[in-house]
Amino acid sequence: DDDLLVVNKPKGIVVHPAPGNYNGTLVNGLLYHCQGNLSGINGVVRPGIVHRIDKDTSGVLVLARNRTWADRLTKAFREHTLPKTYLALVNSCPKNPAGEIKAPLEKCGEKSLVSPDGKPAATVYKTLDEVGSKFALVEASPLTGRTHQIRAHMEYIGCPIVGDDKYFGGEKRQKYASIPDKLYLHAYKIDLSALYNKKTVIKAALPEHF
């Protein structure tokens, strides 16, 4: 609409230009599509960007088309009033089919690791389906917004996300070498009801590799 733009981002696409990725980003394409009509809240490099998902994560991304809604979205994401739900294929079924992972996370190079010195982080999860004892399809909702939060938390409970080169490597990755080499993490839906004062939920279908 005139205020928001919602995209189902494919895996492998960087959200905004950064060192090593100046072209072919989501922002490059959206600036062309919108003829420059995106909020300038984060400057020319990240116009309209008020949250992001990792390069290899697919799914729902919300962008602001004007300053008023950029401010509203930024405030809502900061206060965690727009619930987000992800779907992930994980290696090993969670011991408890549902629960809340409370484990502080600290940025360590390109990874986030559970550490007593980290920032508070909480993720609610629920097992939707199991494939024997080796795999499970899990629904996960971050209650905080730390880098790689779901990826790090699922590894922490012994269920790393399949295809995650940072948290699912080494012998485990080689053991399942027949699985397509993609990250099985998808931003499935986001609830914008708090902004519209009526039920407004955006969903993105699972990508084909799932």
Side-chain angles (χ1 to χ4, degrees):
D1 59 21
D2 292 337
D3 300 313
L4 300 183
L5 185 68
V6 185
V7 176
N8 182 3
K9 186 189 87 67
K11 73 162 291 291
I13 294 182
V14 176
V15 171
H16 56 76
N21 287 285
Y22 289 107
N23 299 307
T25 72
L26 188 73
V27 162
N28 294 130
L30 289 174
L31 285 173
Y32 177 81
H33 175 75
C34 298
Q35 299 180 353
N37 187 22
L38 286 172
S39 166
I41 184 171
N42 283 316
V44 296
V45 175
R46 294 190 291 172
I49 302 296
V50 289
H51 75 125
R52 68 182 187 86
I53 52 181
D54 296 333
K55 174 184 175 181
D56 290 322
T57 302
S58 56
V60 175
L61 192 72
V62 181
L63 298 98
R65 301 194 70 171
N66 55 61
R67 182 60 188 245
T68 298
W69 274 79
D71 290 341
R72 290 186 68 180
L73 282 166
T74 299
K75 183 174 184 290
F77 280 120
R78 185 171 60 244
E79 296 175 352
H80 307 292
T81 57
L82 306 179
K84 292 181 284 185
T85 302
Y86 290 74
L87 294 176
L89 182 69
V90 299
N91 174 238
S92 298
C93 299
K95 183 178 180 181
N96 298 313
E100 181 176 344
I101 305 166
K102 282 187 174 181
L105 293 174
E106 183 176 25
K107 195 78 184 297
C108 209
E110 293 185 349
K111 294 180 66 173
S112 288
L113 301 176
V114 172
S115 166
D117 299 323
K119 295 180 179 179
T123 302
V124 174
Y125 74 91
K126 177 173 65 175
T127 301
L128 302 179
D129 197 7
E130 296 181 358
V131 183
S133 60
K134 294 182 179 180
F135 300 101
L137 181 65
V138 171
E139 180 182 276
S141 298
L143 304 182
T144 49
R146 309 302 174 205
T147 300
H148 295 177
Q149 179 172 311
I150 295 174
R151 298 164 68 178
H153 272 174
M154 295 313 296
E155 181 199 37
Y156 177 65
I157 64 169
C159 302
I161 297 173
V162 176
D164 193 332
D165 60 357
K166 288 185 172 61
Y167 301 91
F168 184 79
E171 293 181 2
K172 280 189 175 181
R173 186 69 192 92
Q174 293 172 12
K175 186 176 179 182
Y176 300 108
S178 62
I179 298 173
D181 190 18
K182 300 175 185 292
L183 178 65
Y184 285 75
L185 179 63
H186 179 68
Y188 173 54
K189 66 181 178 180
I190 186 166
D191 189 336
L192 302 176
S193 302
L195 295 175
Y196 285 96
N197 296 317
K198 63 179 181 180
K199 189 171 179 61
T200 308
V201 179
I202 306 292
K203 295 180 180 179
L206 280 171
E208 288 186 5
H209 68 276
F210 265 80

